[in-house]
Amino acid sequence: MSPIEVLNRASLSQALKTLAGLYEHSDWIIQRALAYRPFVSVAALQHTLQKVVQQASQDEQLALIRAHPALIGKIKIDTSIAPDSQNEQSLIGLDRCSPAEYRSLDELNDAYNKKFGWPFILAVKGPRTKGLTRLQIIDALTRRLTSPSQTEFHECLLQIHRIAQLRLQERLDEPSIRGQRVWDDCETLAQHSEAPDQLTVTFLSPAHRACARHIVSLFEAAGFDSTTIDALGNVVGRYAPKQQDAPYLLTGSHYDTVKNAGKYDGRLGIAVPIEVVRGLAQSGKRLPFGIEVIAFAAEEGVRFGTTFFGSSALAGCFQAQWLALRDSQGVALQDALKAAGLPGSLASVQALARDPKRYLGFVQIAIEQGAVLSHNGLALGIVNTFNASMRYQLRLIGQASHAWTTPMRERRDTVCAAAEITLALEALASQTAHCLASVVPYSALDYNLNTVPDVSQLSIDLRAPNNAKRDELTAQFKQALGQICQRRGIAYSLCEVSQTSAVSCDQTLQRLWATALTALGLPLWHLPSGADHEAMNMHKCMPQAMLFVRGESQGISHNPLESTTCEDMAMAVAAFDKFCDELALSLASMEIVHGKT
Ligand SMILES: [Zn+2]
């Protein structure tokens, strides 16, 4: 019997005893959660515990936060701390601080208590359960001290759930070995970088080439049957099907990064399938379809300014003129390819286009890059659509005049107009669920404080879950723009830069993800993807569906703070395993329908 089955069958008092202390001095959470027995899995129990806290009153939530001990310094070992907490804090050596570290922690801790009125709570075992360093703890405390109270209240509850998750795992579950391997693969891959103290890997740089070689070695060690680096630098690993001519399931993500990136954007979608194939290879299991994993060489577009080279080649829509694109040093893409030992010809890139008839579809795993899953206490979510988008360059033209003599009402100030337009867009996008508007001052023209600025330029990006909502938002924006500029005496030119349509993920593949999540005891949550991913491009040639993995730290991405836990990574591996099993079953039933055996 599995530990969860034992818990399901135990008497109430025995079950309470098993789970007592998961939440610091707050066993009322356990009591309420146990009313929902039986649980399908440990993950289902965890989600129920979170829901109990979510549904509790604000006073109960605050009492839960206040029931936690403050982080302790070298001398202040408090014997009143619950035994679990004491172990967790010793693990990372908080009782062995240097005097400077001790002072930092002590001062920050005091400031935190004064500002928020509750203790700073951090799951000190960290996302890999090896323990955070003292410096990481001080950094987290410093950063969170600047948060608004409401955000921090929520963050504390998330940290409390993380602490409870790890305690529960120790008592009921196996450690997340498979998630730890995914974590470690991402960690070792992040050793290659163009910049000494940050992760930056741009297309075809030496660090990028080193990454490609590293991924080859990961594929080989995991037990893929073949591994190649193709004409664009994509690394392709294939795990063969049971029968030679069977179709393949395509999956993967990119290994290039933005400047000063996080370690999981793109790479998680490579490391999870590697772990899935590792599991299959270790048990000698072959599926009725093959698995082809692509580590795409170029998605971010940092070096040549254009995104999705890798998936465009596979989807058969790589544009010939891209080979002439130049980087900031004047190097053309085709020459950069040749310098990296690749052919650099159009024919070699066009030959990478996949024949859709040989594939069952494309699935992609990615860190959410947002906070929806985290806010809802969910490890995984199924992407249903990719947002439609619209991009503009806006140029505002007013009148330069002396700032110390021109009365406020007579000014034609483009900075004030830009600010009003930005706020109007914020209000418009906030009115509709899932709509987003972002504004960046495109060129900050050089002004002195003694001149009213007469020219401002803005980049504007609008996103909506479908084309109709995007068009509605666009029309409202144009109306507001016209009104604001007329009132302020500002002329403008609005130039459309790009427009993309919303893309729906394949229903059948989404259903397979849903079946997989349900089997794991995870609640179903469908969400649109705000960011673009390879799946959106692959949609042009085959059915596709994506699975999002929860991000920590409010879902921050394109930033070193980007983080997810090895438990959530393990959940993604388990979901992918189940997805493959379900896909195999559905193929078998299709064969029965078609009279094959
Ligand atoms: Zn990215």
Side-chain angles (χ1 to χ4, degrees):
M1 229 186 327
S2 71
I4 198 72
E5 283 166 17
V6 174
L7 186 83
N8 283 335
R9 289 174 192 208
S11 67
L12 185 61
S13 64
Q14 187 53 46
L16 271 170
K17 211 170 135 194
T18 308
L19 302 182
L22 281 187
Y23 288 84
E24 208 85 9
H25 308 297
S26 306
D27 282 348
W28 57 269
I29 301 167
I30 315 290
Q31 227 148 12
R32 290 183 203 174
L34 283 173
Y36 295 93
R37 284 193 297 173
F39 303 108
V40 175
S41 61
V42 175
L45 165 60
Q46 263 162 24
H47 187 73
T48 306
L49 291 163
Q50 291 189 38
K51 268 182 96 172
V52 166
V53 175
Q54 214 173 37
Q55 286 162 0
S57 69
Q58 195 157 0
D59 285 348
E60 284 175 317
Q61 292 174 343
L62 183 61
L64 169 65
I65 293 174
R66 288 193 171 141
H68 281 71
L71 282 175
I72 50 168
K74 186 164 73 174
I75 321 159
K76 288 196 239 165
I77 295 176
D78 185 345
T79 48
S80 71
I81 293 172
D84 277 329
S85 266
Q86 212 164 33
N87 286 338
E88 285 151 14
Q89 296 200 4
S90 309
L91 183 81
I92 44 92
L94 270 182
D95 51 347
R96 297 190 299 274
C97 286
S98 72
E101 285 168 339
Y102 175 76
R103 254 197 321 280
S104 266
L105 270 171
D106 203 39
E107 282 169 20
L108 288 165
N109 217 16
D110 273 357
Y112 184 97
N113 275 314
K114 267 194 202 107
K115 176 171 174 183
F116 297 110
W118 60 73
F120 173 68
I121 299 171
L122 181 66
V124 290
K125 282 190 177 174
R128 171 64 172 83
T129 63
K130 275 180 171 173
L132 297 173
T133 65
R134 289 193 289 273
L135 193 63
Q136 283 172 319
I137 293 170
I138 292 170
D139 281 352
L141 186 42
T142 309
R143 179 170 50 82
R144 282 172 50 188
L145 194 50
T146 63
S147 294
S149 187
Q150 192 58 30
T151 308
E152 195 46 33
F153 187 82
H154 191 74
E155 182 63 32
C156 282
L157 291 178
L158 289 178
Q159 294 293 331
I160 288 170
H161 290 308
R162 174 69 182 150
I163 293 166
Q165 178 187 30
L166 293 175
R167 289 178 180 173
L168 182 61
Q169 202 175 53
E170 267 176 25
R171 294 185 203 183
L172 285 193
D173 211 7
E174 298 286 305
S176 305
I177 305 284
R178 303 191 77 189
Q180 289 171 5
R181 279 201 290 261
V182 173
W183 173 278
D184 294 343
D185 283 352
C186 291
E187 201 65 23
T188 53
L189 205 52
Q191 290 167 0
H192 309 287
S193 176
E194 287 151 47
D197 300 320
Q198 49 173 252
L199 178 62
T200 301
V201 177
T202 61
F203 189 34
L204 299 174
S205 69
H208 184 266
R209 304 298 292 147
C211 267
R213 289 190 296 273
H214 193 123
I215 294 167
V216 167
S217 68
L218 291 176
F219 279 167
E220 285 172 354
F224 282 78
D225 297 301
S226 73
T227 306
T228 48
I229 297 181
D230 72 17
L232 260 185
N234 301 316
V235 189
V236 185
R238 299 189 114 214
Y239 186 72
K242 213 181 281 176
Q243 286 169 330
Q244 213 187 349
D245 57 347
Y248 272 70
L249 175 69
L250 195 59
T251 183
S253 194
H254 62 97
Y255 66 91
D256 69 325
T257 74
V258 293
K259 286 180 184 162
N260 199 16
K263 293 172 183 168
Y264 310 103
D265 174 12
R267 282 124 186 255
L268 191 65
I270 303 167
V272 168
I274 287 178
E275 179 57 30
V276 168
V277 169
R278 192 182 278 136
L280 291 170
Q282 272 173 5
S283 57
K285 186 173 166 185
R286 295 283 169 180
L287 298 167
F289 53 88
I291 297 181
E292 183 173 318
V293 183
I294 313 267
F296 290 101
E299 188 257 15
E300 299 286 6
V302 175
R303 181 167 174 190
F304 292 97
T306 297
T307 53
F308 293 104
F309 286 153
S311 52
S312 295
L314 263 73
C317 56
F318 187 92
Q319 294 176 31
Q321 69 268 24
W322 287 348
L323 285 174
L325 288 172
R326 288 179 188 276
D327 67 8
S328 61
Q329 306 299 306
V331 179
L333 172 56
Q334 57 191 348
D335 296 328
L337 287 165
K338 284 177 191 157
L342 302 168
S345 65
L346 183 60
S348 69
V349 177
Q350 283 175 336
L352 304 179
R354 296 301 194 264
D355 176 2
K357 288 198 287 297
R358 307 192 62 182
Y359 292 92
L360 297 170
F362 178 78
V363 291
Q364 186 168 10
I365 307 269
I367 188 165
E368 186 199 338
Q369 303 187 287
V372 174
L373 295 179
S374 165
H375 283 170
N376 290 285
L378 301 156
L380 304 174
I382 300 166
V383 177
N384 48 14
T385 54
F386 289 94
N387 280 346
S389 73
M390 187 67 107
R391 268 193 189 182
Y392 291 107
Q393 290 287 3
L394 173 64
R395 186 176 167 88
L396 301 171
I397 303 130
Q399 177 62 57
S401 57
H402 202 302
W404 302 342
T405 59
T406 315
M408 295 310 286
R409 299 176 80 183
E410 289 170 28
R411 291 180 187 217
R412 290 163 61 199
D413 183 330
T414 57
V415 167
C416 291
E420 191 179 348
I421 291 161
T422 305
L423 291 176
L425 264 173
E426 184 189 41
L428 287 172
S430 305
Q431 284 167 16
T432 315
H434 302 303
C435 279
L436 301 162
S438 310
V439 181
V440 171
Y442 166 65
S443 82
L445 297 173
D446 228 0
Y447 283 107
N448 292 319
L449 264 178
N450 59 9
T451 307
V452 173
D454 65 340
V455 178
S456 288
Q457 296 192 62
L458 305 173
S459 284
I460 293 166
D461 182 288
L462 308 177
R463 278 168 197 252
N466 57 53
N467 296 355
K469 280 188 181 160
R470 176 202 60 199
D471 295 344
E472 196 185 318
L473 180 62
T474 303
Q476 289 169 336
F477 157 60
K478 285 181 176 171
Q479 193 186 12
L481 175 66
Q483 286 168 353
I484 292 166
C485 287
Q486 193 183 26
R487 177 162 36 78
R488 290 178 172 274
I490 304 284
Y492 67 89
S493 65
L494 184 66
C495 178
E496 186 182 313
V497 176
S498 69
Q499 176 182 334
T500 64
S501 293
V503 166
S504 297
C505 296
D506 182 72
Q507 293 291 338
T508 307
L509 294 176
Q510 278 191 68
R511 260 199 303 280
L512 292 177
W513 280 128
T515 312
L517 265 54
T518 304
L520 294 173
L522 298 175
L524 294 184
W525 189 280
H526 291 83
L527 72 169
S529 171
D532 299 342
H533 292 279
E534 275 90 354
M536 201 174 165
N537 230 3
M538 296 310 293
H539 182 83
K540 292 169 188 162
C541 69
M542 60 180 79
Q544 53 74 28
M546 279 197 84
L547 187 72
F548 273 167
V549 181
R550 163 171 53 193
E552 302 285 294
S553 313
Q554 308 294 322
I556 290 174
S557 186
H558 280 189
N559 184 295
L561 282 174
E562 180 186 83
S563 172
T564 179
T565 64
C566 58
E567 281 67 30
D568 287 352
M569 291 176 174
M571 207 53 88
V573 172
F576 208 131
D577 276 346
K578 291 266 180 221
F579 177 95
C580 288
D581 290 343
E582 289 300 321
L583 183 57
L585 281 174
S586 72
L587 287 178
S589 65
M590 269 168 63
E591 283 184 355
I592 292 164
V593 170
H594 291 113
K596 295 184 198 167
T597 50

